[in-house]
Amino acid sequence: MITEQLIQNLFSLQSLIGLLVGVVGGIVIGALPGLGATMGIALLIPFTFGMEPAAAIIMLTALYTSALYGGSITAILLHTPGTPASAATAMDGYALTKQGKGLQAVGISTVASMIGGTLSGAALLFLAPPLATISLKFNAPEYFLIAIFGLTIIGSLAGDNMLKGIISGLIGMCISFIGYDTVFGVARYTYGVTALESGIQLVPALIGLFSISQVMIQAEGIRAMRKGEKVEPIPDLSGSPIPSLKELIKETPNIIRSSIIGIIVGIMPGAGGDIGGWMGYNEAKRFSKHKELFGNGSREGIWASESANNAVTGGALIPLLTLGIPGSSAAAVIMGALMIHGLTPGYSLFSKQGDITYAIIIGFMIANILMGIAGLLIAKSVARVSGISTSILAPIIVVLSVVGAYAINMSFVDVVVMAIFGILGYFMRKTGFATAPITLALILGSMAERNFHRAIVMAKDTSVLTYYLTRPICLVLIAMIGISLFAPIFMSKINTKVPSVESTGADKNSDD
């Protein structure tokens, strides 16, 4: 229901500025190879502290969807995907660029991303409220199992090595126990540091894991670039970027099919925009009458991959807002932002805080439309921005990270925490350990512990196991946990059927 408060939240000055910053910033960040949506969101969170909750989350979700689109610009013009989600686009996009149709390919990518993201926003608007109603029947036992279910997707976020992903998750769980234990009334693992009694602050940890660690990795290549690494020139951009109405109508079934695929993949925890893009691309090829053009400049392929990978964003927000289960690493960081602004996923988010939640969802849809308009206007400029040297970009990111971490509590301890997590993230990336599982475990670890203690109290004289087995929703969640444990095996089979992201030049260490 549209209320006056919802309209105020959606069209306040902060929300409008947040939309603009999120969209333009997301496009630029997405076009810079190696950065990605996750790092951009983590970097912006500290700057949302003085903002209204609706405006803050609108800005972050706008950046999320825009960054996935931004990666397609350099994928098409330079054959260098800004994010892994644009890897499929690089194949046909760059082939069209070599044919002198680069700007037209960027236009297709822009419109497809806009439509896919908007459709996923519509799915979020209509699917999330019914799912949130179910969460009304949840109590401590169910929330404990929800946390465990969230932790089981660590295998999906772990990349190629599940064991390393599980180890990363265990590290995150251990870190989540740092602080004051309200159940037993003791400080744990604080080593006498008073600032740690409140636990590890989430934002400095996220900035360190995703921003500082990525800067450290990119800094390794500065010397190599100075020794003569060639920068590919921006090709001549001519022609109109706006696709014809005839082509749009012709590609409508392809766009809708690919968007549905993207939404479903987004709901699946840990799948990500790269899987969505490839699945949309493969299905488009299967239905196409001109299969021989795929990989050689197929416009159908770009329509499919871009509508699918941007549809993943709205899909990933559905389990996040309803059950508190992020569908991607970027969604996990957004979950941290929700909690920081006092927004708890579940039924109350759609009832007591409905004016904020629906403003966020509608704002997300508007962001996708604004992204399409801005993309057509600034594509040429962003393509040139992507050539900024890492030696210039890295110090700027470090300064913003330090300022953001310190601004949380005006505490130097948070800056130290950020630095420690940056070093930890760096060595994890270098040794093949995924950083997303740590993020998930940091968020869900304390939730699991707290609700497990409450469930024991609720069970009273009954066996805890028996108590769980007599609750119908718990049985469903236990079944979902079992299914989730086998999800990585299923996803690995899908991955073997699609081309490797590495083969297209995407940064393996980037997070969507």
Coordinates of all heavy atoms in Angstrom, one line a residue, residues 157-252:
L157 N 29.6 -20.5 -1.8 CA 30.4 -19.3 -1.9 C 31.9 -19.5 -1.9 O 32.7 -18.6 -2.1 CB 30.1 -18.3 -0.8 CG 28.6 -17.7 -0.7 CD1 28.5 -16.9 0.5 CD2 28.3 -16.9 -1.9
A158 N 32.2 -20.8 -1.8 CA 33.6 -21.2 -1.6 C 34.5 -21.2 -2.8 O 35.7 -21.3 -2.8 CB 33.7 -22.5 -0.8
G159 N 33.8 -21.2 -4.0 CA 34.6 -21.2 -5.2 C 34.9 -22.7 -5.6 O 34.0 -23.6 -5.4
D160 N 36.1 -23.0 -6.0 CA 36.5 -24.3 -6.5 C 36.8 -25.3 -5.4 O 36.8 -26.5 -5.6 CB 37.7 -24.2 -7.5 CG 37.3 -23.4 -8.7 OD1 36.1 -23.3 -9.1 OD2 38.2 -22.7 -9.2
N161 N 37.1 -24.8 -4.2 CA 37.6 -25.6 -3.1 C 36.7 -25.5 -1.9 O 36.7 -24.5 -1.1 CB 39.1 -25.2 -2.7 CG 39.7 -26.3 -1.8 OD1 39.1 -26.8 -0.9 ND2 41.0 -26.6 -2.2
M162 N 35.8 -26.5 -1.7 CA 34.9 -26.5 -0.6 C 35.5 -26.5 0.7 O 35.1 -25.9 1.7 CB 33.9 -27.6 -0.8 CG 32.7 -27.5 0.2 SD 31.6 -28.9 0.1 CE 31.1 -28.9 -1.6
L163 N 36.6 -27.3 0.8 CA 37.3 -27.4 2.1 C 37.8 -26.1 2.6 O 37.7 -25.7 3.8 CB 38.4 -28.4 2.0 CG 39.3 -28.6 3.3 CD1 38.4 -29.1 4.4 CD2 40.5 -29.6 3.0
K164 N 38.4 -25.3 1.7 CA 38.9 -24.0 2.0 C 37.8 -23.1 2.4 O 37.9 -22.2 3.3 CB 39.8 -23.4 0.9 CG 41.1 -24.1 0.6 CD 41.9 -23.5 -0.5 CE 43.3 -24.1 -0.6 NZ 44.1 -23.5 -1.7
G165 N 36.6 -23.2 1.7 CA 35.5 -22.4 2.0 C 35.0 -22.7 3.4 O 34.6 -21.8 4.2
I166 N 34.9 -24.0 3.8 CA 34.5 -24.4 5.1 C 35.5 -23.8 6.2 O 35.0 -23.3 7.2 CB 34.4 -25.9 5.3 CG1 33.2 -26.4 4.4 CG2 34.2 -26.3 6.7 CD1 33.1 -27.9 4.2
I167 N 36.8 -23.9 5.9 CA 37.8 -23.3 6.8 C 37.6 -21.8 7.0 O 37.6 -21.3 8.1 CB 39.2 -23.6 6.3 CG1 39.5 -25.1 6.4 CG2 40.2 -22.9 7.2 CD1 40.8 -25.6 5.8
S168 N 37.3 -21.1 5.9 CA 37.0 -19.7 5.9 C 35.8 -19.4 6.8 O 35.8 -18.5 7.6 CB 36.8 -19.1 4.5 OG 37.9 -19.3 3.7
G169 N 34.8 -20.2 6.7 CA 33.6 -20.1 7.5 C 33.8 -20.3 9.0 O 33.3 -19.6 9.8
L170 N 34.6 -21.3 9.3 CA 35.0 -21.6 10.7 C 35.8 -20.4 11.3 O 35.6 -20.1 12.4 CB 35.8 -22.9 10.8 CG 35.0 -24.2 10.5 CD1 35.9 -25.4 10.5 CD2 33.9 -24.4 11.5
I171 N 36.7 -19.8 10.5 CA 37.4 -18.6 11.0 C 36.4 -17.5 11.3 O 36.5 -16.9 12.3 CB 38.4 -18.2 9.9 CG1 39.5 -19.2 9.7 CG2 39.0 -16.8 10.3 CD1 40.5 -18.9 8.6
G172 N 35.5 -17.3 10.4 CA 34.5 -16.3 10.6 C 33.6 -16.5 11.9 O 33.3 -15.6 12.6
M173 N 33.3 -17.8 12.1 CA 32.5 -18.2 13.3 C 33.3 -17.9 14.5 O 32.8 -17.3 15.5 CB 32.2 -19.7 13.2 CG 31.1 -20.1 12.2 SD 29.4 -19.6 12.8 CE 29.2 -20.8 14.1
C174 N 34.6 -18.2 14.5 CA 35.4 -18.0 15.7 C 35.5 -16.5 16.0 O 35.4 -16.0 17.1 CB 36.8 -18.5 15.5 SG 36.9 -20.4 15.5
I175 N 35.6 -15.7 14.9 CA 35.7 -14.2 15.1 C 34.4 -13.7 15.6 O 34.4 -12.7 16.4 CB 36.1 -13.6 13.7 CG1 37.5 -14.0 13.3 CG2 36.0 -12.0 13.8 CD1 37.9 -13.5 11.9
S176 N 33.3 -14.3 15.2 CA 32.0 -13.8 15.7 C 31.8 -14.0 17.2 O 30.9 -13.3 17.8 CB 30.8 -14.4 14.9 OG 30.7 -15.8 15.3
F177 N 32.6 -14.8 17.8 CA 32.4 -15.1 19.2 C 33.2 -14.1 20.1 O 33.1 -14.1 21.3 CB 32.9 -16.5 19.6 CG 32.1 -17.6 18.9 CD1 32.7 -18.8 18.5 CD2 30.7 -17.4 18.7 CE1 31.9 -19.8 18.0 CE2 30.0 -18.4 18.2 CZ 30.6 -19.6 17.8
I178 N 34.0 -13.3 19.4 CA 34.8 -12.2 20.1 C 33.8 -11.2 20.7 O 32.9 -10.7 20.0 CB 35.8 -11.5 19.2 CG1 36.9 -12.5 18.8 CG2 36.4 -10.3 19.9 CD1 37.8 -11.9 17.8
G179 N 34.0 -10.9 22.0 CA 33.1 -9.9 22.6 C 32.5 -10.4 23.9 O 32.9 -11.4 24.4
Y180 N 31.5 -9.7 24.4 CA 30.9 -10.0 25.7 C 29.8 -11.0 25.5 O 28.9 -10.8 24.7 CB 30.4 -8.7 26.3 CG 30.0 -8.8 27.8 CD1 31.1 -8.8 28.8 CD2 28.7 -9.0 28.3 CE1 30.8 -8.9 30.1 CE2 28.4 -9.1 29.6 CZ 29.5 -9.1 30.5 OH 29.2 -9.2 31.9
D181 N 29.9 -12.1 26.3 CA 28.8 -13.1 26.2 C 27.7 -12.8 27.2 O 27.9 -12.8 28.4 CB 29.4 -14.5 26.6 CG 28.5 -15.6 26.4 OD1 27.3 -15.3 26.2 OD2 28.9 -16.8 26.5
T182 N 26.6 -12.4 26.6 CA 25.4 -12.0 27.5 C 24.8 -13.1 28.2 O 24.1 -12.9 29.3 CB 24.4 -11.3 26.6 OG1 23.9 -12.2 25.6 CG2 24.9 -10.0 26.0
V183 N 25.0 -14.4 27.8 CA 24.4 -15.5 28.5 C 25.2 -15.9 29.7 O 24.6 -16.0 30.8 CB 24.4 -16.7 27.5 CG1 23.8 -18.0 28.3 CG2 23.5 -16.4 26.3
F184 N 26.5 -15.9 29.7 CA 27.3 -16.3 30.8 C 28.0 -15.1 31.5 O 28.6 -15.2 32.5 CB 28.4 -17.3 30.4 CG 27.8 -18.6 29.9 CD1 27.8 -18.9 28.5 CD2 27.4 -19.6 30.8 CE1 27.2 -20.1 28.1 CE2 26.8 -20.7 30.3 CZ 26.8 -21.0 29.0
G185 N 27.8 -13.9 30.9 CA 28.3 -12.7 31.5 C 29.8 -12.6 31.6 O 30.4 -12.1 32.6
V186 N 30.5 -13.1 30.5 CA 32.0 -13.0 30.5 C 32.4 -12.4 29.2 O 31.7 -12.5 28.2 CB 32.7 -14.4 30.7 CG1 32.4 -14.9 32.1 CG2 32.2 -15.4 29.7
A187 N 33.6 -11.8 29.2 CA 34.2 -11.3 27.9 C 35.1 -12.4 27.3 O 35.8 -13.1 28.0 CB 35.1 -10.1 28.2
R188 N 34.9 -12.6 26.0 CA 35.6 -13.7 25.3 C 36.6 -13.2 24.3 O 36.2 -12.4 23.5 CB 34.6 -14.6 24.6 CG 33.6 -15.2 25.6 CD 32.6 -16.1 24.8 NE 31.8 -15.4 23.8 CZ 30.8 -15.9 23.2 NH1 30.4 -17.2 23.4 NH2 30.2 -15.2 22.3
Y189 N 37.8 -13.7 24.4 CA 38.8 -13.4 23.4 C 39.1 -11.9 23.1 O 39.4 -11.5 22.0 CB 38.5 -14.1 22.0 CG 38.0 -15.5 22.2 CD1 36.7 -15.9 21.8 CD2 38.9 -16.4 22.7 CE1 36.3 -17.2 22.0 CE2 38.4 -17.8 22.9 CZ 37.1 -18.1 22.5 OH 36.7 -19.4 22.7
T190 N 38.9 -11.1 24.2 CA 39.2 -9.6 24.0 C 40.6 -9.3 24.4 O 41.0 -8.2 24.0 CB 38.2 -8.8 24.9 OG1 38.4 -9.2 26.3 CG2 36.7 -9.1 24.5
Y191 N 41.3 -10.1 25.1 CA 42.7 -9.9 25.5 C 42.9 -8.5 26.2 O 43.9 -7.8 26.0 CB 43.6 -10.0 24.3 CG 43.5 -11.4 23.7 CD1 42.8 -11.6 22.6 CD2 44.2 -12.5 24.3 CE1 42.7 -12.9 22.0 CE2 44.1 -13.8 23.7 CZ 43.3 -13.9 22.6 OH 43.2 -15.2 22.0
G192 N 41.9 -8.1 27.0 CA 42.0 -6.9 27.7 C 41.7 -5.6 27.0 O 41.7 -4.5 27.5
V193 N 41.3 -5.7 25.7 CA 41.0 -4.6 24.9 C 39.5 -4.2 25.1 O 38.6 -5.0 24.6 CB 41.3 -4.8 23.4 CG1 40.9 -3.6 22.6 CG2 42.7 -5.2 23.2
T194 N 39.2 -3.2 25.7 CA 37.8 -2.8 26.1 C 37.0 -2.6 24.8 O 35.8 -3.0 24.8 CB 37.8 -1.5 26.9 OG1 38.7 -1.6 28.0 CG2 36.4 -1.1 27.4
A195 N 37.6 -2.1 23.8 CA 36.8 -1.8 22.5 C 36.3 -3.1 21.9 O 35.3 -3.0 21.1 CB 37.7 -1.0 21.6
L196 N 36.9 -4.2 22.2 CA 36.5 -5.5 21.6 C 35.4 -6.2 22.4 O 34.9 -7.2 21.9 CB 37.7 -6.4 21.5 CG 38.8 -6.1 20.5 CD1 39.9 -7.1 20.6 CD2 38.3 -5.9 19.1
E197 N 35.0 -5.6 23.5 CA 33.9 -6.2 24.3 C 32.6 -6.2 23.6 O 31.7 -7.0 23.8 CB 33.8 -5.6 25.7 CG 35.0 -5.9 26.6 CD 34.8 -5.3 28.0 OE1 33.7 -4.7 28.2 OE2 35.7 -5.5 28.8
S198 N 32.4 -5.2 22.7 CA 31.2 -5.1 21.9 C 31.3 -6.0 20.6 O 30.4 -5.9 19.8 CB 30.9 -3.7 21.5 OG 32.0 -3.1 20.8
G199 N 32.4 -6.7 20.5 CA 32.5 -7.5 19.3 C 33.3 -6.8 18.2 O 33.6 -5.6 18.3
I200 N 33.6 -7.6 17.2 CA 34.2 -7.0 16.0 C 33.2 -6.2 15.2 O 32.2 -6.8 14.8 CB 34.8 -8.2 15.1 CG1 36.0 -8.9 15.8 CG2 35.3 -7.6 13.8 CD1 37.2 -8.0 16.1
Q201 N 33.5 -5.0 15.0 CA 32.6 -4.1 14.2 C 32.6 -4.6 12.7 O 33.6 -4.9 12.1 CB 33.1 -2.7 14.2 CG 33.0 -2.0 15.6 CD 31.6 -1.9 16.1 OE1 30.7 -1.6 15.4 NE2 31.4 -2.2 17.4
L202 N 31.4 -4.8 12.2 CA 31.2 -5.4 10.9 C 31.8 -4.6 9.8 O 32.4 -5.1 8.9 CB 29.7 -5.7 10.7 CG 29.3 -6.5 9.4 CD1 29.9 -7.8 9.4 CD2 27.8 -6.6 9.3
V203 N 31.5 -3.3 9.8 CA 32.0 -2.5 8.7 C 33.5 -2.4 8.5 O 34.0 -2.6 7.4 CB 31.4 -1.0 8.8 CG1 31.9 -0.1 7.7 CG2 29.9 -1.1 8.8
P204 N 34.3 -2.2 9.5 CA 35.8 -2.3 9.3 C 36.2 -3.6 8.8 O 37.1 -3.7 8.0 CB 36.3 -2.0 10.7 CG 35.3 -1.2 11.4 CD 34.0 -1.8 10.9
A205 N 35.6 -4.7 9.3 CA 35.9 -6.0 8.8 C 35.6 -6.2 7.3 O 36.4 -6.7 6.6 CB 35.2 -7.1 9.6
L206 N 34.4 -5.7 6.9 CA 34.1 -5.8 5.5 C 35.0 -5.0 4.6 O 35.4 -5.4 3.5 CB 32.6 -5.3 5.3 CG 31.5 -6.2 5.9 CD1 30.2 -5.6 5.7 CD2 31.6 -7.6 5.4
I207 N 35.3 -3.7 5.1 CA 36.2 -2.9 4.3 C 37.5 -3.5 4.1 O 38.1 -3.5 3.0 CB 36.3 -1.5 4.9 CG1 35.0 -0.7 4.9 CG2 37.4 -0.7 4.2 CD1 35.0 0.6 5.6
G208 N 38.0 -4.1 5.2 CA 39.3 -4.8 5.1 C 39.3 -6.0 4.2 O 40.2 -6.1 3.4
L209 N 38.3 -6.8 4.4 CA 38.3 -8.1 3.6 C 38.1 -7.8 2.1 O 38.8 -8.5 1.3 CB 37.1 -8.9 4.0 CG 37.3 -9.7 5.3 CD1 36.0 -10.4 5.8 CD2 38.4 -10.8 5.2
F210 N 37.3 -6.8 1.7 CA 37.0 -6.6 0.3 C 37.7 -5.5 -0.4 O 38.0 -5.6 -1.5 CB 35.4 -6.5 0.1 CG 34.7 -7.7 0.5 CD1 34.0 -7.8 1.7 CD2 34.7 -8.8 -0.4 CE1 33.2 -8.9 2.0 CE2 33.9 -9.9 -0.1 CZ 33.2 -10.0 1.1
S211 N 37.9 -4.4 0.4 CA 38.6 -3.3 -0.2 C 40.1 -3.3 -0.1 O 40.8 -3.3 -1.1 CB 38.0 -2.0 0.4 OG 36.6 -1.9 0.2
I212 N 40.6 -3.3 1.1 CA 42.0 -3.3 1.4 C 42.7 -4.5 0.7 O 43.8 -4.4 0.1 CB 42.3 -3.2 2.9 CG1 41.7 -2.0 3.5 CG2 43.8 -3.2 3.1 CD1 42.2 -0.7 2.9
S213 N 42.2 -5.7 0.9 CA 42.8 -6.9 0.3 C 42.9 -6.8 -1.2 O 43.9 -7.2 -1.8 CB 42.0 -8.1 0.7 OG 40.7 -8.1 0.2
Q214 N 41.8 -6.3 -1.8 CA 41.8 -6.1 -3.3 C 42.9 -5.1 -3.7 O 43.6 -5.3 -4.7 CB 40.5 -5.7 -3.8 CG 40.3 -5.7 -5.3 CD 40.5 -7.1 -5.9 OE1 40.2 -8.1 -5.3 NE2 41.1 -7.1 -7.1
V215 N 43.0 -4.0 -3.0 CA 44.0 -3.0 -3.3 C 45.4 -3.6 -3.2 O 46.3 -3.3 -4.0 CB 43.9 -1.8 -2.3 CG1 45.1 -0.9 -2.5 CG2 42.6 -1.0 -2.7
M216 N 45.6 -4.4 -2.2 CA 47.0 -5.0 -2.0 C 47.3 -5.9 -3.2 O 48.4 -6.0 -3.7 CB 47.0 -5.8 -0.7 CG 46.9 -4.9 0.6 SD 46.7 -5.9 2.1 CE 48.4 -6.6 2.2
I217 N 46.3 -6.7 -3.7 CA 46.5 -7.5 -4.8 C 46.8 -6.7 -6.1 O 47.7 -7.0 -6.9 CB 45.3 -8.5 -5.0 CG1 45.2 -9.5 -3.9 CG2 45.3 -9.2 -6.4 CD1 44.0 -10.4 -3.9
Q218 N 46.0 -5.7 -6.3 CA 46.2 -4.8 -7.4 C 47.5 -4.1 -7.4 O 48.2 -3.9 -8.4 CB 45.0 -3.8 -7.6 CG 43.7 -4.5 -8.0 CD 42.6 -3.5 -8.2 OE1 42.6 -2.5 -7.5 NE2 41.8 -3.7 -9.2
A219 N 48.0 -3.8 -6.2 CA 49.2 -3.0 -6.1 C 50.4 -3.9 -6.5 O 51.4 -3.3 -6.9 CB 49.4 -2.6 -4.6
E220 N 50.3 -5.2 -6.5 CA 51.3 -6.1 -6.9 C 51.6 -5.9 -8.4 O 52.7 -6.1 -8.9 CB 50.9 -7.5 -6.7 CG 50.9 -7.9 -5.2 CD 50.6 -9.4 -5.0 OE1 50.1 -10.0 -6.0 OE2 50.9 -10.0 -4.0
G221 N 50.6 -5.5 -9.2 CA 50.8 -5.3 -10.6 C 51.2 -4.0 -11.1 O 51.4 -3.7 -12.3
I222 N 51.4 -3.0 -10.1 CA 51.8 -1.7 -10.5 C 53.1 -1.7 -11.2 O 53.4 -1.0 -12.2 CB 51.8 -0.7 -9.3 CG1 50.3 -0.5 -8.8 CG2 52.4 0.6 -9.6 CD1 50.2 0.3 -7.6
R223 N 54.1 -2.4 -10.5 CA 55.5 -2.4 -11.1 C 55.4 -3.0 -12.5 O 56.1 -2.5 -13.4 CB 56.4 -3.2 -10.2 CG 57.8 -3.3 -10.7 CD 58.8 -4.0 -9.7 NE 58.8 -3.2 -8.5 CZ 59.6 -3.6 -7.5 NH1 60.3 -4.8 -7.5 NH2 59.6 -2.9 -6.3
A224 N 54.6 -4.1 -12.7 CA 54.6 -4.7 -14.0 C 54.0 -3.8 -15.0 O 54.5 -3.7 -16.2 CB 53.7 -6.0 -13.9
M225 N 53.0 -3.0 -14.6 CA 52.4 -2.0 -15.6 C 53.4 -0.9 -16.0 O 53.4 -0.5 -17.1 CB 51.1 -1.4 -15.0 CG 50.0 -2.4 -14.9 SD 48.4 -1.6 -14.6 CE 48.7 -0.8 -13.0
R226 N 54.2 -0.5 -15.0 CA 55.2 0.5 -15.3 C 56.3 0.0 -16.2 O 57.0 0.8 -16.8 CB 55.8 1.0 -14.0 CG 54.8 1.9 -13.2 CD 55.4 2.3 -11.8 NE 54.5 3.2 -11.2 CZ 54.7 3.7 -9.9 NH1 55.7 3.3 -9.2 NH2 53.8 4.5 -9.4
K227 N 56.5 -1.3 -16.3 CA 57.5 -1.9 -17.1 C 57.1 -2.1 -18.5 O 57.8 -2.8 -19.3 CB 58.0 -3.2 -16.5 CG 58.8 -3.0 -15.2 CD 59.4 -4.3 -14.7 CE 60.3 -4.2 -13.5 NZ 60.8 -5.4 -13.0
G228 N 55.9 -1.5 -18.9 CA 55.6 -1.6 -20.3 C 54.4 -2.3 -20.6 O 54.2 -2.7 -21.8
E229 N 53.5 -2.6 -19.7 CA 52.2 -3.3 -20.0 C 51.4 -2.4 -20.9 O 51.2 -1.2 -20.6 CB 51.4 -3.6 -18.7 CG 50.1 -4.3 -19.0 CD 49.4 -4.6 -17.8 OE1 49.8 -5.4 -17.0 OE2 48.3 -3.9 -17.6
K230 N 51.0 -2.9 -22.1 CA 50.3 -2.1 -23.1 C 48.8 -1.9 -22.7 O 48.2 -2.9 -22.3 CB 50.4 -2.7 -24.4 CG 51.8 -2.7 -25.0 CD 51.9 -3.3 -26.4 CE 53.3 -3.3 -26.9 NZ 53.4 -3.9 -28.3
V231 N 48.3 -0.7 -22.8 CA 46.9 -0.4 -22.5 C 46.2 -0.4 -23.9 O 46.6 0.4 -24.8 CB 46.7 0.9 -21.8 CG1 45.3 1.2 -21.6 CG2 47.5 0.9 -20.5
E232 N 45.2 -1.2 -24.0 CA 44.5 -1.3 -25.3 C 43.7 0.0 -25.5 O 43.0 0.5 -24.7 CB 43.6 -2.5 -25.3 CG 43.1 -2.9 -26.6 CD 42.4 -4.2 -26.6 OE1 42.5 -4.9 -25.6 OE2 41.9 -4.6 -27.7
P233 N 43.9 0.6 -26.7 CA 43.2 1.9 -26.9 C 41.6 1.7 -27.0 O 41.2 0.6 -27.4 CB 43.7 2.3 -28.3 CG 44.2 1.1 -28.9 CD 44.6 0.2 -27.8
I234 N 40.9 2.7 -26.6 CA 39.5 2.7 -26.7 C 39.1 2.8 -28.2 O 39.5 3.7 -28.9 CB 38.8 3.9 -26.0 CG1 39.2 3.9 -24.5 CG2 37.3 3.8 -26.1 CD1 38.7 2.7 -23.7
P235 N 38.3 1.8 -28.7 CA 38.0 1.8 -30.1 C 37.1 3.0 -30.5 O 36.5 3.6 -29.6 CB 37.2 0.5 -30.3 CG 36.7 0.2 -29.0 CD 37.7 0.7 -28.0
D236 N 37.0 3.4 -31.7 CA 36.2 4.5 -32.2 C 34.7 4.1 -32.0 O 34.3 3.0 -32.4 CB 36.4 4.7 -33.7 CG 35.6 5.9 -34.2 OD1 35.5 6.9 -33.5 OD2 35.0 5.7 -35.3
L237 N 34.0 5.0 -31.3 CA 32.6 4.7 -31.0 C 31.7 5.6 -31.9 O 31.7 6.8 -31.7 CB 32.3 5.0 -29.5 CG 33.2 4.3 -28.5 CD1 32.8 4.7 -27.1 CD2 33.0 2.8 -28.6
S238 N 31.1 5.0 -32.8 CA 30.2 5.7 -33.7 C 28.9 5.0 -33.8 O 28.7 3.8 -33.5 CB 30.9 5.8 -35.1 OG 31.1 4.5 -35.6
G239 N 27.9 5.7 -34.3 CA 26.5 5.1 -34.5 C 25.7 5.4 -33.2 O 26.1 6.0 -32.2
S240 N 24.4 5.0 -33.3 CA 23.5 5.2 -32.2 C 23.5 4.1 -31.2 O 23.4 2.9 -31.6 CB 22.1 5.4 -32.7 OG 21.1 5.5 -31.7
P241 N 23.5 4.3 -29.9 CA 23.5 3.2 -28.9 C 22.1 2.7 -28.6 O 22.0 1.7 -28.0 CB 24.2 3.9 -27.7 CG 23.7 5.3 -27.8 CD 23.7 5.6 -29.3
I242 N 21.1 3.4 -29.1 CA 19.7 3.0 -28.8 C 19.3 1.9 -29.8 O 19.2 2.2 -31.0 CB 18.8 4.2 -28.8 CG1 19.3 5.3 -27.8 CG2 17.4 3.8 -28.4 CD1 18.5 6.6 -27.9
P243 N 18.9 0.7 -29.3 CA 18.4 -0.3 -30.2 C 17.1 0.1 -30.8 O 16.3 0.8 -30.2 CB 18.3 -1.5 -29.2 CG 19.1 -1.2 -28.0 CD 19.0 0.3 -27.9
S244 N 16.8 -0.4 -31.9 CA 15.5 -0.1 -32.6 C 14.4 -0.8 -31.9 O 14.6 -1.9 -31.3 CB 15.6 -0.6 -34.1 OG 15.7 -2.0 -34.2
L245 N 13.2 -0.3 -32.0 CA 12.0 -0.8 -31.4 C 11.7 -2.2 -32.0 O 11.3 -3.1 -31.3 CB 10.8 0.1 -31.7 CG 9.5 -0.4 -31.1 CD1 9.6 -0.5 -29.6 CD2 8.3 0.6 -31.4
K246 N 12.0 -2.4 -33.3 CA 11.8 -3.6 -34.0 C 12.6 -4.7 -33.4 O 12.2 -5.9 -33.1 CB 12.1 -3.5 -35.5 CG 11.9 -4.8 -36.3 CD 12.2 -4.5 -37.8 CE 12.1 -5.8 -38.6 NZ 12.4 -5.6 -40.0
E247 N 13.9 -4.4 -33.1 CA 14.8 -5.4 -32.5 C 14.4 -5.7 -31.1 O 14.4 -6.9 -30.7 CB 16.2 -4.9 -32.5 CG 17.2 -5.9 -31.9 CD 18.7 -5.4 -31.9 OE1 18.9 -4.2 -32.3 OE2 19.6 -6.2 -31.6
L248 N 13.9 -4.7 -30.4 CA 13.5 -4.9 -29.0 C 12.3 -5.9 -28.9 O 12.3 -6.8 -28.1 CB 13.1 -3.6 -28.3 CG 12.7 -3.6 -26.9 CD1 13.8 -4.1 -26.0 CD2 12.3 -2.2 -26.4
I249 N 11.3 -5.7 -29.8 CA 10.2 -6.5 -29.9 C 10.6 -7.9 -30.2 O 10.1 -8.9 -29.6 CB 9.1 -6.0 -30.9 CG1 8.6 -4.6 -30.4 CG2 8.0 -7.0 -31.1 CD1 7.7 -3.9 -31.4
K250 N 11.5 -8.1 -31.2 CA 11.9 -9.4 -31.6 C 12.6 -10.1 -30.5 O 12.5 -11.4 -30.4 CB 12.9 -9.2 -32.8 CG 13.5 -10.5 -33.3 CD 14.6 -10.2 -34.4 CE 15.3 -11.5 -34.8 NZ 16.3 -11.2 -35.8
E251 N 13.4 -9.4 -29.7 CA 14.2 -10.1 -28.6 C 13.4 -10.2 -27.3 O 14.0 -10.7 -26.3 CB 15.4 -9.3 -28.4 CG 16.4 -9.3 -29.5 CD 17.0 -10.6 -29.8 OE1 17.0 -11.5 -28.9 OE2 17.4 -10.9 -30.9
T252 N 12.1 -9.8 -27.3 CA 11.4 -9.8 -26.0 C 11.3 -11.2 -25.4 O 11.5 -11.4 -24.2 CB 10.0 -9.2 -26.2 OG1 10.1 -7.9 -26.6 CG2 9.1 -9.3 -25.0

